[in-house]
Amino acid sequence: MNNLENIHTDAAPAAIGPYSQAVRVGSLIFCSGQIPLVPDTMEIIKGDIAVQARQVFDNLKAVAEAGETSLDRAVKITIFLTDLGEFTTVNEIMTDYFNEPYPARATFEVAALPKGASIEIDAVLAV
């Protein structure tokens, strides 16, 4: 496929494996999962789930902006939590980053995430 465009920004964590931060194809951007890494240090931000969720949404926001779009253009996000008991807190934080109509969403509790993270979120954005 020669119509795939890599999207990268230093304002979000570098990929920690063989993948892109995001890829644009046509009018959609597919963002890889973001964990609460601080871009400058590549370390998990210290703090509770609210602090970590904000870092993840900030990382996604930076990738969206690098793709010349915004989180308000998200059509689908997937949230992975190691503790589904944090669901309500993440919902509250999400409203600081998205406006109605909110994107479609799925949320899953998982056994583990990369680098011991408590949360990971990926997104599909319209351009």
Side-chain angles (χ1 to χ4, degrees):
M1 293 179 116
N2 59 0
N3 60 344
L4 295 178
E5 177 188 342
N6 178 53
I7 296 172
H8 174 80
T9 178
D10 292 335
I16 58 174
Y19 59 89
S20 299
Q21 287 175 328
V23 174
R24 180 192 327 250
V25 60
S27 62
L28 294 175
I29 294 176
F30 295 84
C31 299
S32 292
Q34 289 289 322
I35 59 175
L37 290 174
V38 176
D40 292 339
T41 65
M42 292 298 290
E43 297 292 328
I44 300 283
I45 194 166
K46 296 197 183 321
D48 63 10
I49 192 65
V51 170
Q52 291 185 26
R54 286 188 190 287
Q55 184 66 55
V56 170
F57 285 124
D58 287 343
N59 293 345
L60 282 171
K61 180 180 175 188
V63 173
E65 290 172 354
E68 300 178 353
T69 191
S70 71
L71 291 183
D72 280 333
R73 302 279 294 155
V75 294
K76 172 76 165 66
I77 66 171
T78 307
I79 301 173
F80 304 92
L81 296 167
T82 57
D83 179 0
L84 205 51
E86 305 290 5
F87 184 79
T88 301
T89 301
V90 174
N91 279 343
E92 292 169 6
I93 302 302
M94 188 175 158
T95 62
D96 292 338
Y97 289 86
F98 296 89
N99 295 307
E100 292 188 40
Y102 296 119
R105 184 181 91 181
T107 304
F108 300 95
E109 181 174 276
V110 295
L113 291 166
K115 293 195 169 250
S118 298
I119 183 171
E120 180 172 356
I121 303 173
D122 68 16
V124 178
L125 310 168
V127 178

